[in-house]
């Protein structure tokens, strides 16, 4: 990710988190398509805060609006939505995992092909995107963006199939990795999910019109009814007919594979009010805390969540342990991008810009800090110090997921393996000493599996995608040897 637009201070604040992938939303046949899409993207804002885009079709032509920044900063303006008339609409909110931060990479990407115009948006990452890009360039293709979504457009254009939907299916069957994808033509809304369902995608309905989106919370915000999850490896083609009716065609893989949803959807990414894979995210996170309290008990006076991700797990930990739950850390939701020159003195304020200790709940007490995950550990170090400065007698950290050892290649922007805390220290005690806590414990992989799915991990056939904890990557990583070149693709700098 190109962070030249960010200050050093924000790099320090953001560098210790796993950044979300992206969110997608699409609707067919509804007169308020753009407005519904904007609302849906607003509900999916947590999946990407760098940029957002919407494409619509009004029966005559396509319209698009792409903006850097938050959905609410742009798409609440009636003048902006007025530029997006149409009864078909897809939208995307983005955090870059491949390709730099530039307006040309903001999805949906649109192309005019032999079969007509088509717009494509996807959440996740292709593990053979760079390999396919190089093959296409060697064959004469010209790329405008550095997002690997553009590879799909080129494959659609080159497909020998006749219909747009068959071309789309032909294209995505050549891609590998974890993804959920939406495409729209002049009459169709197409939804697709990767063969093992790493990334989520759900289908809903509003006023009899089909809707597809990354999470159920985007259905809730517009009052739509949840119908079902798009199955792993499934492509659903919805087409509006001349009489206004909508047909739906489901295509499934010839040799279906077992679903393996990404565990980090439950640990961190999905909104707690969403239902992912038929499971309440909130309940799963609370179960993580319950299991953590059983696996790693501690004598303490108060359970304090690290906001916001640690809150459901902290509630579960408090419930199972009998230790009172309190908001010992208050989060500032309006920190944004700092305009302050990041001098060394100001850098020391780093975590306090986002979090403040609630001294009344901490002073003189033995505190259990519950967090959803630890990546580099730099934020944990600062939070522990902040809690001690507020007068805590002891600080114990309990993490509601296992240690992260391995990088991700399916749409989560993770640090290199050697930057992960678990790989920098030879023992749990050494990690604990670095962070400055009195004790440090992580949830076991089986404890996490039981919290989410009710059963321990099946080592021979894991029920979820969990490579960041185990090193068990569920697909081939064809681009892995070349990932260092991904960000060198764009030779033209962009200011927008």
């Amino acid at each position: 990710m190109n962070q030249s637009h960010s200050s050093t201070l924000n790099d320090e604040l953001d560098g210790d988190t796993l950044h979300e992938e992206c969110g997608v939303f699409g609707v067919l046949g509804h007169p308020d398509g753009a407005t519904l899409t904007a609302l849906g993207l607003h509900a999916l804002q947590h999946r990407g805060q760098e940029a957002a885009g919407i494409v619509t079709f009004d029966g005559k032509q396509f319209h698009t609006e792409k903006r850097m920044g938050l959905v609410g900063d742009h798409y609440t303006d009636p003048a902006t939505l007025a530029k997006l008339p149409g009864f078909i609409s897809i939208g995307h909110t983005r955090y870059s995992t491949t390709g730099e931060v530039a307006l040309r990479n903001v999805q949906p990407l649109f192309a005019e092909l032999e079969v007509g115009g088509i717009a494509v948006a996807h959440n996740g990452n292709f593990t053979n995107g760079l390999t396919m890009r190089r093959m296409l360039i060697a064959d004469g293709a010209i790329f405008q963006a550095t997002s690997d979504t553009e590879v799909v457009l080129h494959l659609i254009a080159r497909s020998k199939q006749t219909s747009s939907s068959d071309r789309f299916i032909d294209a995505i069957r050549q891609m590998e990795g974890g993804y959920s994808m939406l495409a729209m033509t002049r009459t169709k809304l197409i939804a697709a999910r990767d063969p093992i369902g790493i990334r989520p995608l759900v289908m809903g309905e509003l006023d009899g019109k089909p809707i597809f989106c990354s999470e159920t919370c985007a259905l809730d915000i517009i009052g739509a009814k949840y119908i079902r999850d798009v199955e792993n490896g499934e492509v659903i083609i919805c087409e509006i007919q001349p009489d206004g009716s909508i047909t739906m065609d489901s295509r499934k893989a010839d040799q279906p594979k077992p679903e393996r949803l990404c565990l980090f959807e439950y640990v961190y990414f999905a909104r707690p009010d969403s239902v992912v894979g038929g499971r309440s995210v909130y309940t799963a996170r609370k179960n993580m805390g319950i299991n953590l309290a059983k696996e790693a008990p501690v004598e303490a006076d108060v359970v304090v969540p690290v906001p916001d991700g640690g809150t459901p797990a902290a509630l579960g930990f408090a419930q199972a342990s009998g230790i009172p739950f309190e908001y010992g850390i208050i989060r500032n939701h309006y920190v944004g991008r700092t305009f302050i020159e990041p001098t060394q003195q100001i850098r020391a304020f780093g975590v306090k810009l986002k979090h403040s200790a609630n001294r009344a709940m901490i002073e003189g007490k033995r505190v259990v800090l519950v967090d959803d995950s630890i990546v580099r550990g730099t934020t944990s170090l600062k939070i522990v110090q902040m809690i001690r400065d507020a007068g805590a007698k002891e600080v114990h950290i309990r993490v509601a997921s296992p240690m992260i050892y391995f990088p991700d290649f399916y749409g989560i922007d993770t640090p290199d393996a050697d930057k992960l805390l678990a790989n920098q220290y030879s023992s749990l005690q050494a990690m604990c000493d670095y962070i400055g806590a009195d004790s440090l414990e992580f949830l076991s992989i089986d404890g996490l599996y039981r919290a989410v799915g009710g059963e321990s991990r099946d080592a021979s056939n894991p029920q979820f995608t969990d490579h960041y904890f185990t090193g068990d990557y569920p697909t081939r990583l064809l681009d892995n040897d070349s990932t260092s070149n991904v960000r060198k693709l764009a030779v033209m700098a962009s200011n927008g």
Side-chain angles (χ1 to χ4, degrees):
M1 175 179 128
N2 175 3
Q3 290 184 314
S4 59
H5 67 296
S6 308
S7 72
T8 304
L9 178 54
N10 279 299
D11 288 346
E12 290 191 3
L13 290 175
D14 294 339
D16 194 30
T17 58
L18 296 176
H19 285 287
E20 295 87 343
E21 316 99 347
C22 299
V24 295
F25 185 97
V27 58
L28 173 65
H30 202 287
D32 297 321
T35 301
L36 294 174
T37 302
L39 287 166
L41 293 181
H42 186 74
L44 298 172
Q45 185 74 84
H46 59 287
R47 299 187 72 88
Q49 297 91 47
E50 284 183 351
I54 297 175
V55 173
T56 64
F57 182 72
D58 63 4
K60 295 181 179 178
Q61 64 183 30
F62 289 87
H63 305 268
T64 182
E65 286 287 323
K66 299 181 181 184
R67 304 292 177 90
M68 305 301 294
L70 301 177
V71 175
D73 291 344
H74 304 292
Y75 296 98
T76 51
D77 184 353
T80 301
L81 292 174
K83 298 176 185 176
L84 293 166
F87 55 90
I88 310 179
S89 176
I90 64 172
H92 186 268
T93 185
R94 178 175 192 265
Y95 178 85
S96 68
T97 53
T98 63
E100 93 279 43
V101 183
L103 199 58
R104 65 169 173 258
N105 282 328
V106 178
Q107 299 180 40
L109 298 184
F110 175 81
E112 191 69 50
L113 307 177
E114 180 190 4
V115 289
I118 187 167
V120 178
H122 99 280
N123 158 220
N125 209 49
F126 299 120
T127 53
N128 66 338
L130 184 60
T131 303
M132 296 298 290
R133 172 188 287 265
R134 286 175 171 159
M135 180 191 77
L136 289 162
I137 289 174
D139 199 33
I142 298 172
F143 281 77
Q144 296 293 314
T146 56
S147 167
D148 56 3
T149 313
E150 193 175 10
V151 171
V152 178
L153 285 177
H154 279 278
L155 292 174
I156 293 170
R158 288 166 180 249
S159 173
K160 303 303 181 186
Q161 299 294 324
T162 52
S163 73
S164 56
S165 48
D166 287 338
R167 284 182 175 224
F168 175 82
I169 293 170
D170 183 31
I172 64 162
R173 294 287 190 245
Q174 298 176 59
M175 304 307 297
E176 297 186 34
Y179 59 85
S180 57
M181 178 170 283
L182 297 181
M184 61 174 274
T185 69
R186 289 170 294 184
T187 59
K188 298 172 185 174
L189 175 62
I190 306 172
R193 200 159 162 232
D194 67 77
I196 60 172
I198 298 175
R199 301 269 72 89
L201 189 63
V202 299
M203 177 169 64
E205 178 185 271
L206 181 66
D207 302 329
K209 312 302 182 186
I211 293 169
F212 296 93
C213 52
S214 295
E215 292 183 38
T216 57
C217 63
L219 298 174
D220 296 337
I221 199 173
I222 59 171
K225 177 186 176 184
Y226 166 79
I227 302 297
R228 66 176 177 90
D229 284 17
V230 177
E231 294 180 21
N232 51 299
E234 184 180 19
V235 179
I236 300 177
I237 303 145
C238 301
E239 184 168 14
I240 193 160
Q241 303 299 318
D243 64 357
S245 64
I246 295 174
T247 58
M248 192 174 297
D249 179 22
S250 169
R251 312 271 187 92
K252 298 180 182 179
D254 294 334
Q255 297 177 316
K257 301 176 182 179
E259 183 183 63
R260 287 186 64 180
L261 257 163
C262 172
L263 270 179
F264 254 108
E265 292 289 345
Y266 297 100
V267 170
Y268 183 86
F269 291 130
R271 248 175 54 167
D273 55 328
S274 284
V275 175
V276 175
R279 307 170 187 91
S280 159
V281 174
Y282 179 87
T283 300
R285 288 180 187 164
K286 195 171 179 186
N287 288 341
M288 291 172 206
I290 292 171
N291 291 350
L292 185 59
K294 294 174 182 176
E295 291 183 2
V298 61
E299 290 188 10
D301 303 307
V302 62
V303 175
V304 171
V306 177
D308 286 325
T311 302
L315 283 166
F317 192 100
Q319 179 180 308
S321 66
I323 302 169
F325 171 98
E326 297 290 354
Y327 285 104
I329 300 173
I330 307 302
R331 183 184 169 198
N332 175 9
H333 288 265
Y334 306 101
V335 58
R337 290 276 169 197
T338 181
F339 57 87
I340 302 169
E341 182 64 28
T343 62
Q344 187 57 47
Q345 184 180 6
I346 295 300
R347 273 193 205 103
F349 298 158
V351 167
K352 292 183 180 179
L353 284 175
K354 285 192 171 182
H355 303 110
S356 298
N358 184 4
R359 181 178 288 272
M361 294 297 105
I362 288 170
E363 193 166 22
K365 294 180 180 177
R366 298 168 298 174
V367 177
V368 183
L369 280 177
V370 178
D371 207 349
D372 52 39
S373 57
I374 292 182
V375 185
R376 297 173 188 260
T378 51
T379 300
S380 302
L381 182 156
K382 292 174 182 176
I383 287 178
V384 168
Q385 188 58 51
M386 182 177 71
I387 297 299
R388 290 203 188 279
D389 290 345
K393 189 189 298 182
E394 296 174 10
V395 182
H396 303 272
I397 294 185
R398 295 295 181 266
V399 185
S401 63
M403 293 186 214
I404 302 170
Y405 289 99
F406 301 92
D408 181 78
F409 300 99
Y410 303 104
I412 305 172
D413 192 31
T414 48
D416 294 335
D418 60 357
K419 302 258 190 342
L420 295 165
L421 179 71
N423 295 327
Q424 291 184 316
Y425 295 92
S426 58
S427 69
L428 192 62
Q429 186 59 51
M431 286 182 228
C432 183
D433 292 343
Y434 164 73
I435 290 171
D438 291 281
S439 71
L440 170 66
E441 296 287 349
F442 292 80
L443 183 64
S444 68
I445 188 72
D446 281 339
L448 176 56
Y449 264 76
R450 288 192 295 270
V452 176
E455 299 177 346
S456 297
R457 184 178 191 267
D458 181 348
S460 58
N461 293 290
Q463 304 94 306
F464 297 95
T465 289
D466 60 14
H467 50 276
Y468 18 75
F469 305 129
T470 65
D472 181 358
Y473 290 93
T475 74
R476 297 189 300 168
L477 303 176
L478 295 181
D479 292 347
N480 193 18
D481 294 336
S482 307
T483 47
S484 60
N485 296 321
V486 169
R487 290 173 182 83
K488 298 176 184 176
L489 288 168
V491 294
M492 179 179 68
S494 174
N495 294 319

